[in-house]
C-alpha cells in the first residue's frame, strides 16, 4: 500500500512543488518517497511520485518508481495472487530480482499489456509508462478499492494522485467545493454520492473502477473498461453446492490476503462478516489473530455478547475500546481535512478511531468485512426484495413471510420497510433509501431534488439491488472512507469479500437460497459452519457499526450550539432555523441523526476549503 501522484503535460514542475507533494504523501507511505521526471518528447514531460508503505519485500530494491526494460511503474495497492502470476511468467522466461508484487505487476504488463489486468487479483491504482510506445496508462482495480483522482486543466494535460491534496499541491491549484454534490449528500444521503461522476470538488474526477485511461505522447486520451461485472444465475445450483462453493472461494480469498511480510490486525464486530474472516485465519491457517473492537454503550448497536463468544471460542488476542467523544469536533476537523471531503457517516468516524487503536499496537495492515452484505444479502430491505423474488413459489413465500414477521419485523426501524408486501406491491419503490429527503430538501434555501436512480445489471430484484450497492452505493462509500481512515495512520486495509471469483460465484447462486428460516446471508452462514462459532452464525440480529450523533455531539451544550449556529458558508446552502429546530428536538430518529452528522461534516468541509 502506498501513495502515487504525477503529471503529464508540457510544463516543467518546480522542485518545491514536488517536495511539498511528497511530504503530504508520507502518511500513505512513511518508508520511502521518490520522484522521477521522464522526458516523453520535446513537448511533453511525465512526473511520477511515489510514497511507500512496505508490506511485501521490505528491501529498498522494491521501492518505486520501479523500472523494467523500458517500462516505469508507480503502484498503490496489492496484487494478492502475485505468487501464482510470477510462476506463470517464469515459465515464459521472465527473471525476477525481488520478491515483490510490484515487480510481478510490471512484468505482467510488459508481457500481456492491458490483458494483465484480468490475470491479477488485487486492489490497485497505478501509473505505467511504456517508453517505446510513449503511452501512459492509469488504471484502477475492478471494485475501486484503491483511489485514483485526476484533474485536467487543459486538453493533453493531466494531474493525478491517490488523494486530492496531492493533485492540489502538485498543480498549485485550490479547487472549488461542489455545492451541487453537497446538496445531494444533505438531501439524499450517502447512497446517492456514487451514482454519477461528481466529486466534492468541481474540477476533480475519479478514474472509474475497472477502467483504464490511456494517454499517448500527444496527449490524446482514451478511457475504456477492462472488466465488466457480468453474472448469471445457475438456477439448478443446490443449496449444498452454493455453500461448498462459497466456502472454498472465501477460504482462498483469505489465504491470498494473509500474504504479507508484516503482521495483520483484524477489525472485529459480533457479526458473521468479520468473524468469518477471523475464524478462517485462525482455524484454517492457524494465523495469530488480533481482533480490534469498538465498545458501544447504545443498546441498538451493542453486540458484546457475540464478540465475547468469538474471542473465547477462537482463543484470539482481542482489544476493546470504548467510544471517546471529548474531542469530537476537533477530531472531525482533522479528519475532514485529511479526507479532502466531508466524512460520510458516524460509522466512518468510529472506524477512524478504531484504526488509531490498531496503529498504536504497531500494525500496518487491517482486514475488514466490507461488502459481505452486498454479496450475500445483509440489509433489512434485502429480505423484502427476496419476498418479491420468490412470490411465484406460494409455499416458500408464505413460510418466508412467517419467518420475517417473527425474526425481522420487530427490529426494523425504517417505517417504509415494515410490510412484507412492500416490494410485492411496488417493486420499484426506493423511498426507503432516501428516507426523509422531502424534509431535508426543505432545510435548504433553494429546494434541491434528484430522483433515485438504479442501473440494470441482471434479472432479479434483490440481486440487481446488490449489484447497485456494490458499484454505486454502499460499497464505494465504505472503500473510500476505509482507505483514507487507514492511510491516515499508514495502515493498509484489505477486504477479502471483494474477490472476483467470490463475487462471480455469489451472484450465480439462485435467490431462493439467500434467505433461510428468517436469516439473511444463509449461504455464508452455512459455508462457515464448523469454522465460525455456532452462536454467531445462529444470531439473526443485524447490528451495524454505528452510534447516534448525540453520543458524540452534545447538542444541548452552549458551546456546541454556538459552534453549530455560528456564521458559516454552510448557511449559504442550509437554512439556519432548520438546524435550530433539529437540535432543539428532544428526539432524533436515525435519519435525523444521519442528517445532523452530515450537516456538521459539510459545515467543516466548507469552512476548511472555501
Amino acid at each position: 500500500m502506498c501513495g502515487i501522484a504525477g503529471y503529464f503535460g508540457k510544463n516543467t514542475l518546480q522542485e518545491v512543488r514536488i517536495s511539498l507533494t511528497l511530504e503530504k504523501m508520507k502518511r500513505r507511505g512513511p518508508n520511502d518517497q521518490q520522484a522521477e521526471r521522464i522526458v516523453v518528447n520535446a513537448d511533453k514531460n511525465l512526473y511520477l511520485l511515489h510514497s511507500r508503505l512496505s508490506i511485501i519485500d521490505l528491501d529498498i530494491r522494491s521501492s518505486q518508481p520501479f523500472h523494467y526494460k523500458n517500462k516505469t511503474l508507480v503502484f498503490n495497492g496489492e496484487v494478492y495472487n502475485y505468487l501464482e502470476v510470477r510462476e506463470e511468467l517464469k515459465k515464459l522466461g521472465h527473471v525476477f530480482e525481488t520478491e515483490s508484487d510490484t515487480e510481478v505487476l510490471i512484468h505482467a504488463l510488459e508481457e500481456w499489456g492491458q490483458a494483465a489486468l484480468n490475470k491479477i487479483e488485487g486492489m490497485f491504482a497505478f501509473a505505467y509508462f511504456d517508453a517505446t510506445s510513449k503511452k501512459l496508462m492509469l488504471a484502477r482495480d475492478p471494485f475501486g478499492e484503491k483511489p485514483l483522482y485526476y484533474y485536467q486543466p487543459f486538453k493533453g494535460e493531466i494531474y493525478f494522485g491517490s488523494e486530492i491534496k496531492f493533485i492540489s499541491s502538485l498543480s498549485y491549484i485550490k479547487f472549488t467545493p461542489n455545492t451541487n454534490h453537497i446538496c445531494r449528500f444533505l438531501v439524499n444521503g450517502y447512497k446517492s454520492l456514487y451514482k454519477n461522476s461528481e466529486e466534492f470538488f468541481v474540477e476533480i474526477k475519479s478514474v472509474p473502477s475497472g477502467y483504464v485511461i490511456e494517454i499517448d505522447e500527444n496527449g490524446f486520451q482514451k478511457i475504456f473498461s477492462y472488466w465488466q461485472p457480468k453474472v448469471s444465475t445457475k438456477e439448478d445450483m443446490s443449496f449444498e453446492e452454493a455453500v461448498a462453493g462459497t466456502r472454498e472461494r472465501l477460504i482462498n480469498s483469505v489465504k491470498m490476503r494473509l500474504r504479507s511480510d508484516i503482521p495483520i490486525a483484524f477489525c472485529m464486530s459480533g457479526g458473521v462478516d468479520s468473524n468469518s474472516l477471523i475464524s478462517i485465519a485462525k482455524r484454517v491457517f492457524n494465523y495469530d489473530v488480533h481482533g480490534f473492537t469498538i465498545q458501544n454503550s447504545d443498546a441498538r448497536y451493542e453486540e458484546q455478547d457475540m464478540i465475547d463468544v468469538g474471542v473465547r471460542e477462537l482463543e484470539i488476542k482481542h482489544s476493546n475500546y470504548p467510544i471517546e467523544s471529548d474531542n469530537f469536533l476537533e477530531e472531525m476537523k482533522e479528519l475532514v481535512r485529511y479526507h479532502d471531503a466531508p466524512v460520510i457517516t458516524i460509522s466512518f468516524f468510529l472506524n477512524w478511531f478504531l484504526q488509531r487503536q490498531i496503529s498504536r499496537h504497531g500494525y500496518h495492515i487491517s482486514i475488514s468485512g466490507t461488502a459481505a452484505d452486498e454479496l450475500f444479502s445483509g440489509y433489512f430491505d434485502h429480505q423484502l426484495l427476496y419476498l418479491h423474488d420468490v412470490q411465484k413459489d406460494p409455499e416458500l413465500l408464505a413460510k418466508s413471510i412467517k419467518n420475517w414477521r417473527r425474526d425481522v419485523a420487530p427490529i426494523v426501524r425504517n417505517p417504509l420497510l415494515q410490510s412484507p408486501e412492500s416490494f410485492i406491491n411496488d417493486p420499484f419503490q426506493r423511498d426507503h433509501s432516501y428516507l426523509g429527503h422531502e424534509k431535508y430538501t426543505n432545510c435548504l434555501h433553494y429546494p434541491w431534488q434528484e430522483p433515485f436512480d438504479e442501473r440494470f445489471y441482471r434479472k432479479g430484484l434483490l440481486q440487481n439491488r446488490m449489484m447497485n450497492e456494490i458499484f454505486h452505493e454502499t460499497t464505494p462509500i465504505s472503500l473510500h472512507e476505509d482507505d483514507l481512515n487507514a492511510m491516515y495512520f499508514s495502515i493498509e486495509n484489505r477486504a477479502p469479500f471483494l474477490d472476483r471469483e467470490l463475487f462471480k460465484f455469489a451472484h450465480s447462486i439462485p435467490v431462493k437460497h439467500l434467505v433461510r428460516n428468517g436469516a439473511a446471508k444463509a449461504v455464508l452462514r452455512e459455508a462457515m459452519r464448523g469454522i465460525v462459532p455456532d452462536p454467531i452464525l445462529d444470531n439473526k440480529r443485524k447490528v451495524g457499526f454505528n452510534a447516534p450523533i448525540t453520543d458524540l455531539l452534545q447538542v444541548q451544550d452552549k458551546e456546541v450550539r454556538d459552534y453549530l449556529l455560528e456564521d458559516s458558508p454552510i448557511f449559504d446552502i442550509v437554512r439556519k432555523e432548520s438546524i435550530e429546530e433539529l437540535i432543539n428536538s428532544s428526539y432524533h430518529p436515525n435519519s435525523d441523526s444521519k442528517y445532523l452528522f452530515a450537516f456538521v461534516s459539510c459545515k467543516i468541509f466548507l469552512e476548511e476549503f472555501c
Side-chain angles (χ1 to χ4, degrees):
M1 177 65 67
C2 307
I4 66 172
Y7 166 76
F8 178 91
K10 63 182 181 181
N11 293 330
T12 302
L13 300 188
Q14 296 173 326
E15 284 298 324
V16 66
R17 289 196 204 175
I18 295 170
S19 297
L20 286 171
T21 305
L22 287 172
E23 186 66 27
K24 290 179 183 293
M25 294 170 67
K26 279 189 175 179
R27 286 189 181 273
R28 293 195 80 92
N31 301 121
D32 187 43
Q33 289 83 37
Q34 300 289 339
E36 182 176 333
R37 176 192 176 192
I38 297 172
V39 178
V40 177
N41 58 32
D43 189 48
K44 291 291 191 298
N45 290 309
L46 171 64
Y47 289 83
L48 297 174
L49 285 68
H50 189 264
S51 189
R52 186 184 184 200
L53 173 60
S54 302
I55 300 291
I56 295 173
D57 190 352
L58 309 185
D59 194 274
I60 195 170
R61 65 190 178 181
S62 294
S63 292
Q64 302 175 44
F66 197 93
H67 301 274
Y68 174 61
K69 293 184 177 179
N70 57 350
K71 315 295 191 300
T72 307
L73 174 71
V74 288
F75 163 48
N76 167 31
E78 300 289 346
V79 176
Y80 295 122
N81 66 338
Y82 74 102
L83 296 177
E84 292 81 1
V85 176
R86 185 169 65 184
E87 287 307 306
E88 186 175 354
L89 287 165
K90 280 182 176 179
K91 292 176 183 178
L92 295 173
H94 288 254
V95 177
F96 294 89
E97 298 178 354
T98 78
E99 298 298 320
S100 71
D101 58 333
T102 301
E103 187 177 18
V104 171
L105 177 57
I106 197 170
H107 279 246
L109 290 166
E110 194 275 338
E111 177 68 34
W112 297 304
Q114 291 158 10
L117 300 179
N118 284 314
K119 286 182 170 286
I120 63 174
E121 178 62 38
M123 55 176 184
F124 54 82
F126 66 76
Y128 170 77
F129 181 69
D130 184 335
T132 300
S133 66
K134 296 189 175 182
K135 288 182 178 180
L136 173 67
M137 180 197 299
L138 304 176
R140 195 167 175 218
D141 66 72
F143 296 105
E145 292 187 66
K146 293 300 103 191
L148 187 53
Y149 299 99
Y150 65 96
Y151 161 57
Q152 293 185 286
F154 305 105
K155 186 176 181 180
E157 186 175 11
I158 189 169
Y159 293 88
F160 55 89
S162 302
E163 295 179 19
I164 294 169
K165 63 177 66 65
F166 305 164
I167 302 174
S168 181
S169 175
L170 205 57
S171 65
Y172 210 63
I173 296 291
K174 186 175 182 180
F175 299 123
T176 311
N178 186 343
T179 302
N180 192 61
H181 209 46
I182 290 170
C183 290
R184 177 177 290 117
F185 177 36
L186 289 170
V187 173
N188 286 344
Y190 66 90
K191 290 185 180 180
S192 66
L193 293 178
Y194 283 86
K195 289 183 175 293
N196 57 49
S197 61
E198 287 192 53
E199 300 285 346
F200 278 105
F201 290 102
V202 173
E203 299 88 350
I204 294 295
K205 294 181 183 288
S206 182
V207 177
S209 57
Y211 272 74
V212 165
I213 295 178
E214 185 182 86
I215 305 165
D216 68 16
E217 64 175 313
N218 298 312
F220 181 75
Q221 179 178 307
K222 294 190 295 184
I223 181 167
F224 51 89
S225 169
Y226 65 85
W227 181 79
Q228 289 289 335
K230 296 177 180 177
V231 293
S232 59
T233 302
K234 295 182 179 178
E235 294 294 352
D236 60 346
M237 182 188 295
S238 68
F239 184 76
E240 292 71 25
E241 289 171 330
V243 166
T246 296
R247 185 184 180 106
E248 175 189 350
R249 286 163 179 81
L250 184 55
I251 288 174
N252 188 58
S253 176
V254 173
K255 175 185 177 181
M256 288 194 294
R257 285 157 181 81
L258 288 176
R259 290 172 175 172
S260 168
D261 291 335
I262 61 175
I264 299 172
F266 292 76
C267 300
M268 185 177 189
S269 71
V272 175
D273 309 345
S274 65
N275 279 284
S276 293
L277 308 178
I278 286 169
S279 299
I280 290 171
K282 176 66 176 180
R283 287 182 164 172
V284 177
F285 299 111
N286 197 31
Y287 195 84
D288 184 17
V289 171
H290 189 171
F292 288 82
T293 301
I294 290 292
Q295 183 178 325
N296 205 316
S297 59
D298 190 298
R300 292 175 296 176
Y301 307 114
E302 193 277 323
E303 47 187 347
Q304 191 62 47
D305 56 341
M306 290 296 104
I307 293 168
D308 290 342
V309 167
V311 172
R312 182 177 63 251
E313 294 199 16
L314 296 171
E315 299 181 319
I316 62 172
K317 291 184 290 186
H318 180 244
S319 297
N320 195 0
Y321 296 94
I323 296 172
E324 296 175 2
S325 60
D326 292 346
N327 299 310
F328 172 67
L329 284 173
E330 290 307 310
E331 290 183 338
M332 272 292 290
K333 291 174 185 178
E334 173 66 13
L335 195 51
V336 168
R337 279 193 293 268
Y338 187 70
H339 278 221
D340 300 310
V343 178
I344 301 305
T345 70
I346 297 172
S347 300
F348 298 117
F349 176 84
L350 299 178
N351 174 268
W352 180 67
F353 175 80
L354 186 64
Q355 294 294 334
R356 179 165 63 196
Q357 309 310 322
I358 291 171
S359 173
R360 286 174 176 172
H361 283 263
Y363 290 99
H364 288 283
I365 306 175
S366 64
I367 283 183
S368 68
T370 298
D373 288 315
E374 293 83 352
L375 283 185
F376 294 102
S377 77
Y379 300 124
F380 288 131
D381 63 336
H382 288 177
Q383 296 227 12
L384 300 181
L385 292 160
Y386 167 84
L387 294 177
H388 167 275
D389 286 348
V390 301
Q391 63 182 302
K392 291 183 179 179
D393 184 336
E395 183 179 348
L396 178 58
L397 176 62
K399 181 180 178 181
S400 298
I401 289 177
K402 181 180 178 182
N403 292 335
W404 180 87
R405 292 188 188 280
R406 180 192 67 214
D407 296 321
V408 183
I411 56 176
V412 176
R413 294 191 296 272
N414 192 315
L416 300 180
L417 297 177
Q418 294 179 343
S419 167
E421 289 86 19
S422 292
F423 297 106
I424 293 174
N425 294 335
D426 188 358
F428 300 106
Q429 73 87 6
R430 298 290 184 270
D431 285 349
H432 69 285
S433 293
Y434 289 174
L435 186 64
H437 65 97
E438 299 101 335
K439 173 181 177 179
Y440 304 131
T441 192
N442 289 328
C443 292
L444 307 184
H445 287 295
Y446 305 100
W448 186 98
Q449 292 185 353
E450 186 174 75
F452 187 89
D453 173 61
E454 187 172 66
R455 300 190 192 184
F456 178 79
Y457 282 98
R458 56 166 303 161
K459 293 180 179 178
L461 213 59
L462 170 56
Q463 288 168 310
N464 191 65
R465 180 93 284 280
M466 292 195 293
M467 292 280 277
N468 275 269
E469 289 165 344
I470 288 174
F471 294 105
H472 308 291
E473 294 178 22
T474 49
T475 299
I477 289 292
S478 294
L479 294 176
H480 175 266
E481 302 290 283
D482 288 351
D483 172 81
L484 287 164
N485 285 345
M487 293 313 303
Y488 182 93
F489 299 104
S490 303
I491 294 172
E492 171 182 288
N493 188 66
R494 298 180 174 183
F497 284 102
L498 287 174
D499 176 274
R500 275 194 273 188
E501 286 300 314
L502 180 61
F503 164 81
K504 184 177 179 181
F505 183 81
H507 273 273
S508 71
I509 297 172
V511 70
K512 64 185 178 182
H513 297 327
L514 297 182
V515 178
R516 276 198 165 192
N517 194 30
K521 295 182 190 165
V523 171
L524 178 61
R525 292 174 193 270
E526 287 309 306
M528 293 293 99
R529 189 73 65 184
I531 299 177
V532 175
D534 283 347
I536 295 173
L537 294 176
D538 295 332
N539 180 30
K540 299 174 185 178
R541 182 171 172 246
K542 173 70 175 173
V543 177
F545 192 54
N546 207 350
I549 183 66
T550 49
D551 274 11
L552 300 170
L553 188 70
Q554 306 304 315
V555 295
Q556 301 309 318
D557 182 274
K558 183 179 184 304
E559 188 175 338
V560 172
R561 289 172 63 88
D562 288 346
Y563 168 73
L564 293 178
L565 299 174
E566 71 184 9
D567 288 343
S568 168
I570 191 66
F571 291 120
D572 293 335
I573 301 171
V574 177
R575 294 187 300 109
K576 184 179 289 190
E577 57 269 26
S578 72
I579 301 302
E580 287 185 283
E581 291 172 8
L582 191 59
I583 63 178
N584 285 335
S585 173
S586 59
Y587 171 66
H588 294 103
N590 195 41
S591 57
D592 279 1
S593 182
K594 290 178 180 177
Y595 178 79
L596 186 55
F597 182 88
F599 164 80
V600 172
S601 198
C602 289
K603 178 180 188 294
I604 294 170
F605 172 69
L606 288 172
E607 289 168 358
E608 292 291 336
F609 292 99
C610 266

